[in-house]
Amino acid sequence: MDILTEKRQRNYLPYDVDTKIAVVKRMNDSGWSAKRVKSYYHLSRTSAWRWRKKYDGTPASLENKSHRPHRPHPRTTSERAKYKIACYRKRNPDDSSVDIWAKTVKSGFPISYSTCLRILKKSDGYEPYKTNPKKRHNKEYHTPEVPGEKWQIDVKFVPTACKAPGLEGRFYQYTFLDEATRKRYLHFSDEHSMYQTVVGLRKAIKFFGYAPKVIQTDNGSEFTDKGLTKREDSAATRDWPCLLDSFCAKNSIVHKCIKPRTPEHNGKVERSHRIDQEKFYRRLLFHSLSDLAQQGARWMRRYNGMPRMALHMKSPNELELEKLAKLMHDTGEVRCPKLLKRFTSSAN
């Protein structure tokens, strides 16, 4: 009667009725203290006193009762929210867990991201996103805290498979990304040249509402001619700056080039290009340059409004507004005048 029986199918160690009756009789009849009962039966003194209080002489008073709550938890995920998550995943199988979570919250179900991810993992056929464990550089990278301090610029070749049948030529996407907020501007062209880089940069400054202090690019011919001017037999050898450097000098912009053959130094814009490939170009079909620009503008607005895990579940637009408002509050500088009304409205 003094031997404890274990039930492995439960997540705790219950005691049978015989053990409970033995504990109560030890305390009532034998005069054992609660401390001695605790040491002998390996239980807490609180349990021993509780059993002694409940015991009325019948074994039924010490039977194990159900631990199921009488009513559901007020924050339990509803079946309607689970149905919404399943529908969003079925409609857009290429969407990430963050996209599905954002759509669910906008639909009127304020669940946390961890809850949404747990529901997705329980669904059939769901595979979580796998990151690349290989890292070539482990040094800490200092990302600017204020928008407009530094932009990363790169060019992506539009895949040939996205073109409609009969459409000739190659097309290019010029990406201008602000490092502090990951907000982007996309400029599309059918020409791969430094002139289009300057055209896109001029449009990006108008789109953001402010010019960057530093731009960072690779060593391609659309950004610099250093590789040509260093050659003595090159026809491009000259003493005056190239078109992009002249534009930067007029607008007080510092142009920095990354180390050759190290695209990971421009990792933020390169990562955004992978998102473009997975969520935009995989299902894109365009018939002309203007059609590509229109669809790209819609995708750009969607990208800037998507929450990102790297931004602590905030979208680039939200983070830009938050950081610019903080800059105005701390220093009084209004870096983007067109957002001044939104600063004052958010403060009120």
Side-chain angles (χ1 to χ4, degrees):
M1 185 172 62
D2 294 343
I3 299 175
L4 303 180
T5 57
E6 299 183 8
K7 297 181 180 180
R8 298 292 185 181
Q9 67 271 19
R10 307 188 73 168
N11 60 350
Y12 60 95
L13 179 63
Y15 299 90
D16 58 9
V17 178
D18 295 336
T19 303
K20 294 180 179 180
I21 295 176
V23 170
V24 174
K25 288 184 176 181
R26 292 285 191 185
M27 298 179 68
N28 293 339
D29 301 340
S30 302
W32 282 24
S33 64
K35 183 177 181 181
R36 185 177 179 183
V37 170
K38 169 189 174 183
S39 176
Y40 187 81
Y41 287 97
H42 304 286
L43 49 85
S44 65
R45 284 183 291 182
T46 306
S47 298
W49 285 110
R50 185 174 68 251
W51 297 341
R52 185 181 181 182
K53 183 178 180 181
K54 291 173 60 177
Y55 186 63
D56 59 359
T58 60
S61 60
L62 295 179
E63 289 184 353
N64 295 320
K65 297 182 179 180
S66 174
H67 289 254
R68 184 182 297 275
H70 296 287
R71 59 184 64 86
H73 193 275
R75 296 191 64 183
T76 302
T77 307
S78 62
E79 295 297 328
R80 183 64 179 172
K82 296 179 181 179
Y83 176 74
K84 279 285 185 181
I85 293 174
C87 290
Y88 288 137
R89 179 172 173 264
K90 185 177 180 180
R91 293 174 189 172
N92 302 302
D94 295 334
D95 282 358
S96 64
S97 56
V98 179
D99 296 334
I100 297 176
W101 168 76
K103 292 179 180 178
T104 306
V105 172
K106 290 181 180 179
S107 300
F109 299 95
I111 63 175
S112 63
Y113 171 72
S114 59
T115 301
C116 179
L117 186 61
R118 184 173 65 252
I119 296 173
L120 287 173
K121 287 181 178 179
K122 291 181 180 179
S123 59
D124 297 333
Y126 177 75
E127 295 182 1
Y129 187 81
K130 298 180 180 179
T131 58
N132 187 4
K134 298 180 181 179
K135 289 186 178 181
R136 295 183 58 184
H137 299 278
N138 297 324
K139 296 182 179 179
E140 183 180 1
Y141 186 83
H142 299 283
T143 301
E145 293 293 335
V146 181
E149 294 292 325
K150 190 177 183 181
W151 288 3
Q152 291 185 7
I153 306 176
D154 198 12
V155 178
K156 176 179 176 59
F157 293 84
V158 177
T160 307
C162 300
K163 296 190 298 184
L167 185 61
E168 301 293 337
R170 302 198 66 174
F171 299 88
Y172 309 91
Q173 171 188 314
Y174 293 77
T175 306
F176 304 85
L177 180 141
D178 182 79
E179 285 197 14
T181 61
R182 308 289 181 96
K183 188 175 181 178
R184 303 190 310 166
Y185 175 77
L186 305 181
H187 169 65
F188 296 91
S189 175
D190 56 354
E191 180 182 331
H192 189 219
S193 64
M194 190 179 298
Y195 172 76
Q196 290 297 330
T197 303
V198 175
V199 172
L201 182 57
R202 187 179 290 109
K203 292 182 179 179
I205 294 174
K206 183 178 180 180
F207 170 78
F208 281 95
Y210 50 85
K213 295 182 179 180
V214 180
I215 61 171
Q216 182 173 286
T217 66
D218 56 26
N219 295 270
S221 60
E222 68 275 18
F223 301 121
T224 181
D225 58 355
K226 293 180 180 179
L228 297 175
T229 55
K230 289 182 179 180
R231 295 172 49 186
E232 296 180 356
D233 57 342
S234 174
T237 303
R238 58 183 182 272
D239 297 330
W240 58 88
C242 62
L243 183 62
L244 180 58
D245 291 339
S246 300
F247 178 83
C248 292
K250 292 179 181 178
N251 293 272
S252 303
I253 302 175
V254 179
H255 180 200
K256 292 185 177 180
C257 296
I258 63 176
K259 185 179 179 180
R261 293 177 294 278
T262 56
E264 58 272 13
H265 289 174
N266 257 2
K268 293 182 177 63
V269 68
E270 295 288 353
R271 179 65 180 89
S272 70
H273 283 173
R274 189 168 74 177
I275 298 177
D276 292 339
Q277 184 64 36
E278 293 174 351
K279 297 187 177 182
F280 178 58
Y281 288 112
R282 182 176 295 180
R283 294 171 290 184
L284 176 65
L285 179 65
F286 64 95
H287 301 270
S288 62
L289 178 59
S290 59
D291 184 22
L292 173 62
Q294 291 177 3
Q295 297 190 55
R298 289 194 295 267
W299 162 245
M300 179 184 66
R301 289 192 294 269
R302 180 189 169 193
Y303 180 94
N304 291 333
M306 288 192 308
R308 302 286 306 279
M309 293 188 67
L311 305 179
H312 305 287
M313 308 308 293
K314 296 180 182 179
S315 66
N317 287 333
E318 294 173 348
L319 192 61
E320 180 193 36
L321 184 64
E322 177 183 320
K323 288 184 177 291
L324 289 178
K326 184 177 183 300
L327 178 65
M328 187 186 69
H329 179 269
D330 295 343
T331 64
E333 178 185 354
V334 181
R335 182 157 295 184
C336 185
K338 67 179 183 180
L339 296 178
L340 183 60
K341 292 184 179 179
R342 300 186 63 180
F343 295 158
T344 55
S345 62
S346 60
N348 295 332

